[in-house]
Amino acid sequence: MESLSSAKRVGLMGGSFDPVHMGHLVVAQDAAERLELSEVVFVPAAIPPHKQHLQRVDAGHRLNMVRMAVESDVRFSVSDVELQRGGVSYTIDTVEFFRRQHPGLQFVLVVGGDTLVDLHNWYKVDELLDLCEVATFLRPGENGLDGIAEKIRLPDEQRARLLGNVFDAHQVEVSSTEIRMRIAEGLGIRYLVPPEVERYIYEHGLYQG
């Protein structure tokens, strides 16, 4: 996080990262380039608000895998703020933390289309949208802009602002769910995750049932 002191516009990517995969990294790269970000910070969640029922591997493993995945790219970094805070990870708390730590910087929340259409359910979403910009990157299988527009249940001004910041991401068809299933079934995950992450998963026997 040291490089944030010289940054002007910084992306925040939250998620379970269970595990982190090439799709996450490609979206982060797209965001860095399309939004002219000085840095993209990956923020692993302790307990995602809308995935509280799902079992995750230990937070330390998820954090280690993200660190391995991004360490060779100077544009990316990792924050363990949500893991240190513990409990349910509300994005507004995280954005407020970064704004306190780095006053004067502009933070951009990088999300997918599935998140965009669910924003109305987020904790203190009105306050969140006043605190940071939200940029949406559409992934494989997600509806186009028209399909998403009709599903956004927020006031017109917020809706228009969000729809004006939607981009197509590179098409990488991979998900953490698929990776976990492939491992449990004894199938390979090479080319779906960075090599360091693949080695870590097998060395620690993660997701093997």
Side-chain angles (χ1 to χ4, degrees):
M1 297 301 299
E2 294 81 1
S3 58
L4 277 184
S5 59
S6 61
K8 302 300 181 185
R9 185 170 157 85
V10 175
L12 301 176
M13 276 189 67
S16 301
F17 301 117
D18 192 21
V20 63
H21 55 67
M22 300 305 290
H24 294 130
L25 300 174
V26 167
V27 169
Q29 176 171 268
D30 284 341
E33 295 174 351
R34 297 291 296 275
L35 303 173
E36 299 183 346
L37 303 176
S38 301
E39 184 171 355
V40 177
V41 184
F42 287 69
V43 188
I47 303 175
H50 306 301
K51 296 182 180 179
Q52 297 185 48
H53 62 289
L54 298 180
Q55 183 176 357
R56 289 164 296 279
V57 301
D58 180 78
H61 285 314
R62 292 189 287 118
L63 180 63
N64 289 340
M65 287 188 285
V66 177
R67 283 175 170 162
M68 289 178 176
V70 307
E71 65 182 352
S72 63
D73 196 321
V74 296
R75 300 169 299 177
F76 301 159
S77 66
V78 184
S79 170
D80 65 355
V81 59
E82 294 188 353
L83 300 180
Q84 291 291 336
R85 191 165 64 229
V88 176
S89 300
Y90 292 113
T91 301
I92 188 168
D93 294 335
T94 301
V95 172
E96 288 177 337
F97 167 82
F98 280 111
R99 284 170 60 93
R100 287 194 303 270
Q101 294 294 310
H102 306 282
L105 298 188
Q106 180 181 1
F107 291 98
V108 183
L109 189 62
V110 179
V111 304
D114 56 339
T115 297
L116 177 61
V117 300
D118 191 52
L119 276 180
H120 62 278
N121 289 318
W122 280 33
Y123 180 63
K124 294 185 177 180
V125 65
D126 292 337
E127 294 179 34
L128 176 65
L129 294 178
D130 286 338
L131 291 177
C132 68
E133 176 184 343
V134 175
T136 303
F137 285 80
L138 302 182
R139 294 176 289 224
E142 292 181 327
N143 292 327
L145 192 58
D146 292 340
I148 285 177
E150 63 187 24
K151 296 180 181 178
I152 299 176
R153 288 186 275 175
L154 289 168
D156 289 345
E157 186 275 331
Q158 293 177 342
R159 185 170 173 272
R161 182 153 39 106
L162 291 166
L163 288 172
N165 221 17
V166 176
F167 307 89
D168 287 325
H170 279 88
Q171 302 297 290
V172 180
E173 290 199 59
V174 56
S175 70
S176 296
T177 300
E178 178 191 6
I179 291 170
R180 295 194 300 269
M181 290 176 61
R182 289 182 66 86
I183 294 170
E185 294 171 3
L187 301 175
I189 58 169
R190 185 174 294 182
Y191 316 120
L192 301 179
V193 300
E196 302 86 349
V197 173
E198 181 187 18
R199 286 195 296 271
Y200 186 92
I201 287 172
Y202 288 119
E203 285 173 1
H204 292 83
L206 304 182
Y207 312 115
Q208 295 183 14

